[in-house]
Amino acid sequence: MSLDQLLAVIPSGSPDEALVRQLNFDQLPAHVAIIMDGNGRWAAKRHLPRVEGHRAGIDAVRDVVETSARLGIEVLTLYAFSVENWKRPKAEVNTLMLLLKRYIRSELATLLRNNIRFRVIGRHEELAPDVQEELSRGIDQTAGNTGMIFNIALNYGGRSEIIDAARRAMASGIAPANLDEQTFSNFLYTGGQPDPDLLIRTSGEMRVSNFLLWQIAYAEIWVTDTLWPDFRRRDLLEAVIAYQKRDRRYGGIKPSPVAVSAK
Ligand code: FPP
């Protein structure tokens, strides 16, 4: 989108405005992927149950989705529930699923207004039928939009995604000799989408946690100590500004500015 689109919702003279003015709109990351971490710690700091951290995390999701769409990011992927997260207490898993359903129901109008295409990546067919129903509603109703793709990673694992892609490739009957990196990537859940240029992780952990393992091969990684429920527009803008200062070399030897080295 544009500087004006963003400034329309930012109080003039605010720190966010100063950050927006530092952005180079010709060098935006096409795809931003976020590992939302720290909900439990956010709650613990306030002597609240862990689920309150997840609940508070929804406000951060709203802020980041809307800001990304206004910025002109092509794809935003949020890691909401991993294949490993089933190991958490049943009550916590149930609350996460409930929050997800509520989020889709309450945000559908905003997604439509912002021309956002909602998608799910992961083994969503293994989720409860009521959750699948709500997800399908969100996916179907936003399918005709033409703006940002918003992927929620649910029951997602990077290794299972690669296995699923390999199975699909085999089932497609493609000759092994014809299977190159480009062709294989089309069988991933994110087939047809650009790979993440920027991977953000909140709450200070230096791990990729089985997230988009194939796709982040050349992503720039930005880690913040901010806990996910506290993450807001300002943090996203800081991440993008930091990204725009990186030299992306893709294994080459000549440092080149982000814009020149775009895929
Ligand atoms: C990690 O924090 C966060 C999650 C496992 C879930 C993230 C989910 C949400 C923000 C809510 C639902 C999302 C959407 C997209 C509607 P943690 O619990 O591992 O935190 P900790 O490391 O501090 O314990």
Side-chain angles (χ1 to χ4, degrees):
M1 284 192 198
S2 67
L3 178 63
D4 292 340
Q5 289 253 10
L6 260 180
L7 290 181
V9 292
I10 292 177
S12 104
S14 67
D16 291 22
E17 184 192 344
L19 287 171
V20 165
R21 292 194 183 281
Q22 287 178 51
L23 282 176
N24 179 345
F25 283 82
D26 295 326
Q27 292 185 6
L28 289 173
H31 184 165
V32 175
I34 308 184
I35 301 175
M36 308 183 285
D37 195 14
N39 294 355
R41 273 162 283 175
W42 184 93
K45 273 170 74 177
R46 290 161 180 77
H47 309 287
L48 294 168
R50 293 178 54 79
V51 292
E52 292 308 317
H54 299 317
R55 220 182 291 281
I58 297 284
D59 293 334
V61 170
R62 271 195 207 103
D63 206 54
V64 165
V65 169
E66 197 160 350
T67 303
S68 301
R70 282 182 181 269
L71 254 178
I73 302 291
E74 282 174 44
V75 184
L76 172 72
T77 303
L78 301 183
Y79 201 4
F81 194 87
S82 75
V83 287
E84 289 86 13
N85 285 152
W86 296 108
K87 293 182 212 150
R88 294 187 178 215
K90 201 165 182 332
E92 183 176 342
V93 171
N94 288 346
T95 305
L96 276 168
M97 295 298 156
L98 185 77
L99 288 174
L100 180 75
K101 284 196 294 179
R102 270 202 211 141
Y103 170 81
I104 300 167
R105 229 173 284 150
S106 67
E107 290 305 298
L108 195 52
T110 310
L111 298 180
L112 289 166
R113 195 172 52 248
N114 287 291
N115 197 20
I116 294 169
R117 285 172 279 179
F118 174 69
R119 306 253 176 100
V120 176
I121 60 169
R123 292 182 172 167
H124 48 92
E125 65 286 354
E126 292 173 2
L127 298 169
D130 58 325
V131 178
Q132 290 191 46
E133 231 170 77
E134 207 64 55
L135 293 172
S136 299
R137 208 190 324 271
I139 295 167
D140 296 346
Q141 294 200 16
T142 61
N145 288 347
T146 53
M148 184 180 83
I149 294 176
F150 167 30
N151 299 311
I152 294 195
L154 271 177
N155 195 20
Y156 175 88
R159 288 182 174 179
S160 12
E161 177 179 27
I162 293 170
I163 298 275
D164 288 350
R167 286 181 181 152
R168 276 193 225 138
M170 283 193 266
S172 76
I174 190 169
N178 292 335
L179 195 58
D180 55 19
E181 290 183 13
Q182 183 53 51
T183 317
F184 186 76
S185 70
N186 287 330
F187 290 102
L188 294 167
Y189 304 144
T190 54
Q193 302 176 13
D195 286 339
D197 300 294
L198 173 60
L199 172 68
I200 297 173
R201 180 162 190 149
T202 58
S203 91
E205 309 287 352
M206 301 286 183
R207 288 192 287 273
V208 293
S209 298
N210 201 14
F211 189 42
L212 302 173
L213 294 182
W214 174 284
Q215 297 93 327
I216 60 167
Y218 293 102
E220 295 295 326
I221 301 178
W222 190 80
V223 176
T224 174
D225 285 334
T226 301
L227 305 175
W228 177 253
D230 292 327
F231 195 94
R232 288 292 181 276
R233 174 170 64 207
R234 187 172 311 178
D235 303 278
L236 181 66
L237 295 172
E238 278 175 7
V240 174
I241 290 165
Y243 160 83
Q244 293 186 332
K245 290 183 178 146
R246 303 267 178 100
D247 284 323
R248 302 187 80 192
R249 278 175 273 180
Y250 298 100
I253 50 170
K254 270 196 204 155
S256 51
V258 171
V260 177
S261 64
K263 287 162 275 178

